[in-house]
Amino acid sequence: MKAGDEQAFRFLIERYKNDLFKALYPILRNEKDAEDVTQEVFLKIYYALPEYKSQGLKAWMTRIAINHAIDLKRKKQRQNETVLEPEVFSAISQTGCNTIALLLRKEQREVVRQRLDEMPPNYRDVIYAYYITEKSYKQIADEQEVEVKTIEMKLYRARNWMKKHWKEDDF
């Protein structure tokens, strides 16, 4: 690489790194991931520069960045998908829809259980009791020595907290 090319590319990075980060962040929803992908994208851009046809540099670079981020997000989602073993799949097909519903509920409970540590403790306790151990409002109220209305309010606030802090795509 020539010294002039290297210097020009450094200028390109400095000029557009914030623009690319701002384009990537809404897709990835994670600052660290967006920073990492921004760096990866500049490598892709460097190797793709000979193909550039002077048609709006920023738009061209942004398109490369967005496509790369979407590809990474899809790859992560595929990695997180549950693969059913053949014996489990045959059991599902033999026992019908009830088993499928039970498996989906179990999987959903497991995802919530993993994310519970992110919640404030007062919300975590009531969500765990209601959704994971499947206790009634009355049982939870008796255990916590409060009124049923208090449990209803805690669950309402906990659900609102989850809506605000967790995205549906996370599940």
Side-chain angles (χ1 to χ4, degrees):
M1 177 186 316
K2 295 179 187 173
D5 291 344
E6 190 174 312
Q7 190 174 15
F9 192 67
R10 282 188 183 145
F11 173 77
L12 194 72
I13 292 172
E14 285 304 312
R15 170 67 180 91
Y16 292 104
K17 69 181 178 186
N18 290 334
D19 293 327
L20 293 184
F21 177 84
K22 288 176 186 174
L24 293 170
Y25 184 78
I27 296 167
L28 301 171
R29 295 185 185 153
N30 181 301
E31 189 173 338
K32 178 88 172 94
D33 289 347
E35 288 171 359
D36 291 345
V37 171
T38 300
Q39 290 178 7
E40 292 171 17
V41 165
F42 275 111
L43 279 174
K44 282 187 122 177
I45 289 169
Y46 178 78
Y47 290 111
L49 274 173
E51 300 167 22
Y52 175 65
K53 296 179 177 57
S54 300
Q55 299 173 341
L57 182 63
K58 182 178 175 182
W60 178 74
M61 291 180 7
T62 303
R63 178 56 31 209
I64 290 173
I66 290 172
N67 287 340
H68 186 69
I70 290 170
D71 289 346
L72 286 176
K73 190 168 182 174
R74 284 181 185 151
K75 184 178 178 181
K76 268 188 177 179
Q77 286 173 339
R78 281 193 300 271
Q79 288 173 345
N80 291 337
E81 289 177 0
T82 304
V83 178
L84 294 177
E85 298 298 324
E87 57 273 3
V88 174
F89 186 73
S90 66
I92 290 173
S93 61
Q94 292 171 4
T95 56
C97 293
N98 288 341
T99 306
I100 293 171
L102 288 172
L103 279 173
L104 290 174
R105 283 187 65 207
K106 182 180 177 187
E107 183 178 312
Q108 189 176 30
R109 276 195 310 250
E110 186 59 35
V111 169
V112 171
R113 184 179 289 131
Q114 292 169 358
R115 300 289 304 270
L116 279 176
D117 290 338
E118 298 172 14
M119 296 184 80
N122 56 328
Y123 296 158
R124 183 183 325 133
D125 296 341
V126 73
I127 291 292
Y128 185 86
Y130 186 74
Y131 288 103
I132 305 300
T133 60
E134 298 181 343
K135 295 179 181 175
S136 69
Y137 286 13
K138 175 90 172 97
Q139 289 171 315
I140 300 167
D142 289 345
E143 286 176 5
Q144 294 187 8
E145 299 176 355
V146 295
E147 297 293 320
V148 172
K149 282 285 185 194
T150 304
I151 298 304
E152 290 174 2
M153 183 56 69
K154 281 185 174 183
L155 275 169
Y156 173 79
R157 290 178 179 161
R159 288 181 192 119
N160 282 338
W161 186 93
M162 289 188 296
K163 286 177 189 173
K164 182 178 177 185
H165 292 91
W166 295 347
K167 304 292 183 231
E168 192 172 329
D169 293 349
D170 295 342
F171 297 91

